[in-house]
Amino acid sequence: MNPWQEVLDRIEAGEGEALARFLDGLNDLGRRAVAVQLPGHLAEELRGGAEARWEIEGLAPGYRLAGAACFTGAPQVATWLNRRELRRPVDAERDARRIMSVLRRRSVEWRRELALRLADRLRPQTGRSRRGDDGMPGWDLTAALVAETGIEPPDGDAFVVGWVWRLVLRRRWKRGGVDGDPLLDSMVPRLFQAQGVAGPLALDERWNSGLSILAELAVLADEGRVSRATLVGGCAGRFLADGPAEEIAPFVRLWRLLAPEPDELPVVDFVRLLPRASPPLAQLALEELGRAESAGLLDDELFAEAVGALAYRQEKKFVLAAVRWLARTPAPRGGGAVRALAPVFEVNTPALRERAVRLALTLAPHADDTGRESIRAATGLLPPDLREQVTAAYGAEPGPPLAADLREQAAAAFGASPGAEPEPPPAAILRASGSPALAPPITAELHASGSRAAAPPDAAVLRASELPALEPPLAVLGVGAPGEVVVALRELSWLEEPHACERVLAGLVELAHRNRDALAAALRPGWGRHLPVADGSGPHVVDHFLTHDRGVHTLLARCALALVDPERSREVSAASAESGAYHADHDWPLQILLRRRLEEVIALFERGQSVPVLLATPTEPTGHVAAATLVERMEELGNGEPLPADFEQALLRLPRHTDPELLTRAEKLPTQAGRTLAAWLREGGCPDPAVTWELHEDRSGYTRTHQLRPTIKPPAGLPGWLAELWLLKPSHVYLSYPRDATWWPMIMPSHREIVATALVRCTPLLSEANDVRMDALAALAHGEGPVGQATALAIAAGLGHRRDARRAAALDAARTLAARGQLPAGDLGWALAKLLRHRLVPLRRITGALGELTEAGAHAEVWRALAVALPALLPGPGERPRAGLGELLGLAARVAALAGTRGEITGLAEMAARKGSSLVLYEARRLHETISA
């Protein structure tokens, strides 16, 4: 019997239980034979690349079992079990039981050493970085060794986090709850100190709402199974340790489930928490301090400290809570806390500020010296009428007059002049940065980079964002080139990064022309390894996938197949053409052009033919092809006509302005395509079509939604292939593939408005969709061509997006255009008015985004947009102001001051003349005074 071969056969067959029995019965000589062969065998298997690694990971339980049984020392076993490709067995609990069965012949001391070594290699993980389906690698075996050998559970956060993950997954798989867990008593006190437990606890709450681990702990505390004092004290200690809101949230939830009695409340600790706690924890502290006050546990000093802490927080809801709490408190007690009203004097909510002033006047007879001094010091921040009332009750502030910085704050905030007229606030300087085309291009001949003018060191400069540089070409001369293409093809992400796909496509075409046999030989061993098809599915499953999948990644795999096995590729192409998979009626025109270009390369390879170069491979990160490079590529083709779709794509990728001298070279090209190129350069490319808009209303039951839909009218006299690109059919609603839109800016880099029209036409509305269109918008801003209402509408929708990353992409597009002097500010105002009037984006998000754009230096553009949008947003007679309008008007006043503008906004004077103290009216008056001064 060959022990190694027997073990290997059982590993590859996945016979875990049989392998465990066989290993347990091996003698020392047999185990040594296995231990000698095992590392070398695994190293040899891993030379097979990614596919081999996936196979090893699938067989990990067997390899782990063999190493644990046969290696001699605990350090060697710990290292083996923590190898990257072996550390995640499919069923960690079953894996731990099997390994424990072959470790029982080892001494207790040996197993204790292994437990400690495995514990040292545990790593805490948060819920955001975990899949949530297999727990923490290595924890189950470590815990089993700890329980069996009787050692103290290891210190450190990782072991605690692993314990929580195991509880979560056991509950999900119905394998038991918290009660009865052998580590419960030792782990509960550690639960409150370990970082990283919030992730699995939050996941458990989502999976098992009402029956979660936290809920079970609260029940066990009521039953006396777990110490209630430990849980209450643990939560309080975690609150004091502070941390991100998501890390504290589970313990806030546990505290509410425990519902401590007033005498259990750590009153002093909760008061100390108020200034710095995250909003959920601060809200809990506020509620519990209210219960403590009702029970007579909050003395005057702590009450004053708590109210003051709330008043100094940035969140308005806590400032309002402080004022309300003070208002419902008896005056003698409230007088000791009157200093808490001082910071409320500078809030930008007039109603709240005036309420604080009235309360300060009520409490004046009971205020102590410290409180009176604080109120007097803050009166300089009040408007003149309120300042006079407070001064009458508290007296004028002694000493020198109000400091200059306070005078400037008062003038900027309330329009009051402390003497000389204040200068306008300084504005960030808006400067355009260099073109993103300065990034290294894809062709080896054009790697020169440009220089950028330095900005003044004391100026805040708005710069256009930059596109990433292109990788060098794959089709370089040398023996390693085919291998580079194979590696690049395998490393393509399923996210379809356009530059990487273009690089692979160009490499396949050029290397196939130079040495097709060498390239096919390099591709043949595993051309389809990157396809998401199970290894054992059979060729028919792979062919079905290739036939019906329309992704660029799959089409590149078909290019490889056409080189490796042309006959099979022709069968797939025929089946694909019969199914009509690649040209469904709902596919967008730009995507059809992209797929036609890939299909013609596939057909070229299937015919056994080749071309020396692709014309449309980009030379710039924007997707542009330098006109000189295109002429050179056409010259390289000689008398041969180019591939049609590739030539059409190359024309669309030309810059809008080219060197006139190139026209002479283009006119000498001997082909029909050469004559077409010369005419294209002579006429300045294709003309821009007209875009019109209609407000489309959708009714569904009692709901009504609106959407601005564009219509494109192509110019007359265009060739058919070009006219088709402008058409937007009623069927063009959804992206055919989730990441299709990432290609669009590169397909038409000189026609930004047309690409933006397609982005806007997609459903759902840009401000609601969590897709790639905002990333495409950010890339589009670096291109060429006019920008107008479509681009503005896309930016406006993005500025109101519900997700931070998408909103940041829209801001990036706006900053880039503004820095290049190309932001269509008037159209942006039109788009904002349309979207806000029909409540398609939240006003407060728009205000915040415009504020960021202002801070970046685009205040002139923001003002022009607001000047167009505001007349449509101001309420008419009898209308209520929309939520958030006051903040928008406040931003407009600040931007108007930065821009130094003067003029009128329709309806603003009438609104400013209304009586009232709301924020909307206050900011309307301030804006009116700013622009009419």
Side-chain angles (χ1 to χ4, degrees):
M1 180 187 71
N2 183 341
W4 164 241
Q5 191 60 50
E6 292 284 340
V7 167
L8 183 58
D9 290 345
R10 285 172 169 80
I11 290 176
E12 293 179 343
E15 299 175 355
E17 302 299 336
L19 176 61
R21 291 192 296 270
F22 179 79
L23 290 169
D24 202 38
L26 275 180
N27 57 25
D28 290 343
L29 184 61
R31 283 191 287 271
R32 280 198 296 273
V34 173
V36 168
Q37 296 286 342
L38 194 55
H41 166 77
L42 188 60
E44 182 66 27
E45 288 294 304
L46 290 174
R47 291 195 182 100
E51 184 179 14
R53 185 177 300 279
W54 296 336
E55 292 175 357
I56 294 297
E57 289 176 356
L59 300 174
Y63 284 106
R64 288 169 57 84
L65 196 57
C70 299
F71 291 136
T72 304
Q76 190 180 11
V77 172
T79 300
W80 179 259
L81 295 176
N82 276 284
R83 289 185 63 126
R84 184 178 62 176
E85 60 274 359
L86 301 181
R87 64 195 308 262
R88 286 187 180 275
V90 175
D91 188 334
E93 287 193 89
R94 179 186 295 177
D95 174 79
R97 288 195 298 270
R98 287 174 180 166
I99 292 178
M100 291 298 295
S101 71
V102 300
L103 290 182
R104 289 195 176 96
R105 63 181 181 81
R106 313 272 194 171
S107 68
V108 173
E109 290 74 13
W110 189 98
R111 283 177 285 159
R112 285 175 176 168
E113 181 184 358
L114 178 62
L116 294 175
R117 289 183 178 274
L118 291 177
D120 286 342
R121 298 176 187 233
L122 294 176
R123 294 293 179 268
Q125 304 183 42
T126 66
R128 289 186 177 181
S129 63
R130 297 287 308 115
R131 296 196 309 265
D133 57 2
D134 57 359
M136 177 180 290
W139 186 88
D140 294 271
L141 179 58
T142 306
L145 288 166
V146 167
E148 188 169 284
T149 59
I151 64 174
E152 187 71 18
D155 293 329
D157 295 348
F159 192 79
V160 182
V161 175
W163 176 70
V164 176
W165 270 115
R166 183 50 51 199
L167 288 179
V168 171
L169 297 175
R170 281 177 181 167
R171 293 170 63 80
R172 187 185 188 191
W173 297 330
K174 312 299 182 187
R175 294 182 180 176
V178 177
D179 194 16
D181 186 282
L183 296 175
L184 178 64
D185 293 332
S186 57
M187 288 292 103
V188 165
R190 302 186 185 186
L191 184 68
F192 303 97
Q193 286 85 39
Q195 296 296 320
V197 298
L201 288 175
L203 189 63
D204 181 54
E205 286 285 321
R206 291 198 296 271
W207 283 345
N208 304 295
S209 180
L211 300 171
S212 62
I213 292 171
L214 299 176
E216 192 169 346
L217 285 174
V219 171
L220 293 177
D222 290 339
E223 296 174 351
R225 171 67 180 84
V226 174
S227 169
R228 179 180 177 83
T230 298
L231 298 182
V232 173
C235 287
R238 188 56 181 263
F239 295 159
L240 287 174
D242 204 5
E246 59 269 19
E247 289 290 325
I248 300 295
F251 303 101
V252 172
R253 165 74 173 151
L254 178 57
W255 182 276
R256 294 188 186 282
L257 290 169
L258 293 169
E261 296 298 324
D263 57 358
E264 295 180 284
L265 299 178
V267 176
V268 175
D269 291 343
F270 275 141
V271 172
R272 302 291 188 266
L273 280 173
L274 283 176
R276 57 183 173 82
S278 61
L281 181 55
Q283 183 62 38
L284 175 68
L286 175 61
E287 295 170 4
E288 296 300 77
L289 288 174
R291 290 206 297 141
E293 185 183 34
S294 299
L297 301 175
L298 195 66
D299 60 33
D300 291 351
E301 184 177 351
L302 286 176
F303 167 75
E305 184 178 346
V307 174
L310 288 171
Y312 273 100
R313 288 186 66 100
Q314 294 184 352
E315 303 90 347
K316 284 187 179 179
K317 69 174 184 177
F318 291 122
V319 178
L320 180 59
V323 174
R324 287 175 174 171
W325 195 0
L326 196 55
R328 66 173 179 263
T329 302
R333 177 179 170 91
V338 74
R339 65 179 180 273
L341 294 173
V344 189
F345 286 1
E346 59 181 319
V347 299
N348 64 351
T349 305
L352 179 57
R353 187 172 59 238
E354 290 174 7
R355 183 174 181 179
V357 168
R358 290 196 302 270
L359 184 57
L361 296 176
T362 301
L363 297 177
H366 307 280
D368 56 20
D369 292 341
T370 302
R372 299 183 72 85
E373 183 179 349
S374 299
I375 295 296
R376 284 197 298 269
T379 55
L381 299 172
L382 290 171
D385 56 338
L386 296 180
R387 187 189 313 143
E388 291 176 3
Q389 297 178 44
V390 175
T391 301
Y394 285 83
E397 182 182 4
L402 190 64
D405 56 341
L406 290 181
R407 288 201 306 271
E408 293 176 5
Q409 292 178 33
F414 306 112
S417 176
E421 183 174 343
E423 297 180 359
I429 298 176
L430 172 63
R431 298 192 178 207
S433 66
S435 166
L438 296 176
I442 201 168
T443 51
E445 303 83 16
L446 301 174
H447 274 215
S449 61
S451 61
R452 301 181 185 275
D458 58 343
V461 179
L462 175 64
R463 294 194 181 277
S465 61
E466 296 185 7
L467 294 179
L470 296 181
E471 292 287 335
L474 278 169
V476 292
L477 292 174
V479 295
E484 292 178 18
V485 174
V486 173
V487 171
L489 182 62
R490 290 182 180 175
E491 291 181 350
L492 283 180
S493 166
W494 281 95
L495 299 180
E496 285 191 9
E497 204 286 314
H499 290 117
C501 292
E502 288 281 3
R503 189 166 176 259
V504 168
L505 181 64
L508 288 171
V509 170
E510 295 184 37
L511 292 173
H513 183 74
R514 294 172 184 171
N515 192 338
R516 177 174 180 138
D517 292 339
L519 179 58
L523 290 168
R524 187 169 290 111
W527 68 270
R529 286 177 179 172
H530 63 304
L531 292 175
V533 181
D535 296 333
S537 299
H540 66 284
V541 176
V542 176
D543 287 352
H544 178 82
F545 182 82
L546 292 174
T547 300
H548 291 85
D549 186 82
R550 302 196 303 270
V552 173
H553 201 166
T554 303
L555 289 173
L556 286 171
R558 287 189 55 200
C559 290
L561 175 62
L563 289 166
V564 171
D565 191 345
E567 181 178 354
R568 184 181 172 195
S569 179
R570 285 191 288 270
E571 294 173 356
V572 171
S573 294
S576 174
E578 184 177 351
S579 69
Y582 291 106
H583 301 298
D585 184 61
H586 61 268
D587 278 358
W588 295 76
L590 296 178
Q591 215 64 26
I592 291 176
L593 174 61
L594 171 63
R595 288 167 184 153
R596 276 204 301 116
R597 182 167 169 246
L598 285 157
E599 285 178 317
E600 67 185 12
V601 172
I602 295 169
L604 181 78
F605 291 161
E606 290 174 350
R607 296 193 301 268
Q609 299 174 346
S610 66
V611 292
V613 65
L614 282 179
L615 302 181
T617 301
T619 62
E620 304 293 341
T622 55
H624 282 101
V625 176
T629 303
L630 178 56
V631 172
E632 291 172 4
R633 291 172 179 173
M634 295 280 286
E635 292 170 340
E636 189 175 351
L637 292 179
N639 293 325
E641 292 288 348
L643 298 173
D646 185 48
F647 179 59
E648 294 166 3
Q649 174 64 95
L651 292 178
L652 291 174
R653 283 179 169 167
L654 283 171
R656 295 179 75 91
H657 305 288
T658 57
D659 187 347
E661 295 181 2
L662 289 174
L663 179 59
T664 303
R665 287 176 59 187
E667 289 173 339
K668 295 178 181 179
L669 295 171
T671 60
Q672 176 60 44
R675 289 187 287 275
T676 302
L677 173 60
W680 186 282
L681 294 177
R682 189 182 305 112
E683 297 169 6
C686 65
D688 295 308
V691 181
T692 57
W693 298 87
E694 64 176 4
L695 184 65
H696 181 77
E697 182 177 304
D698 290 322
R699 289 182 178 270
S700 177
Y702 295 101
T703 62
R704 182 175 62 177
T705 59
H706 295 85
Q707 184 178 7
L708 282 168
R709 288 188 177 176
T711 302
I712 299 178
K713 183 179 179 181
L718 294 181
W721 70 270
L722 189 55
E724 289 178 359
L725 292 179
W726 310 135
L727 298 179
L728 293 177
K729 302 177 183 178
S731 59
H732 294 154
V733 177
Y734 298 100
L735 294 175
S736 305
Y737 267 52
R739 292 192 61 83
D740 278 355
T742 57
W743 283 90
W744 297 353
M746 283 187 60
I747 293 174
M748 297 188 71
S750 294
H751 294 83
R752 293 181 292 192
E753 186 72 354
I754 300 304
V755 176
T757 302
L759 296 177
V760 172
R761 181 63 181 262
C762 287
T763 298
L765 183 69
L766 274 169
S767 59
E768 301 171 355
N770 187 27
D771 57 31
V772 299
R773 283 181 285 161
M774 280 299 146
D775 299 325
L777 176 65
L780 174 147
H782 293 275
E784 291 183 319
V787 286
Q789 290 183 337
T791 304
L793 187 62
I795 291 175
L799 296 181
H801 205 285
R802 58 194 176 91
R803 294 181 180 269
D804 293 343
R806 305 303 183 203
R807 195 161 59 251
L811 272 168
D812 184 58
R815 279 196 299 265
T816 298
L817 290 171
R820 300 175 71 184
Q822 298 170 350
L823 182 66
D827 289 329
L828 180 60
W830 165 84
L832 290 172
K834 291 288 186 183
L835 294 177
L836 291 168
R837 286 289 293 176
H838 296 287
R839 304 185 187 281
L840 298 177
V841 291
L843 179 52
R844 285 194 170 91
R845 284 188 204 146
I846 293 292
T847 302
L850 292 178
E852 292 186 50
L853 198 55
T854 300
E855 294 299 326
H859 46 276
E861 289 81 359
V862 171
W863 171 251
R864 289 200 297 271
L866 288 174
V868 173
L870 282 175
L873 301 178
L874 296 177
E879 290 183 351
R880 292 177 59 87
R882 65 189 66 245
L885 181 59
E887 288 85 351
L888 183 67
L889 290 171
L891 173 67
R894 182 162 62 91
V895 174
L898 289 171
T901 188
R902 298 294 183 267
E904 295 183 3
I905 292 178
T906 304
L908 181 63
E910 292 81 359
M911 187 173 180
R914 296 182 188 179
K915 295 182 178 180
S917 59
S918 67
L919 178 64
V920 171
L921 295 179
Y922 174 79
E923 297 294 2
R925 296 182 194 117
R926 189 159 69 100
L927 174 60
H928 180 61
E929 292 172 2
T930 301
I931 64 176
S932 60

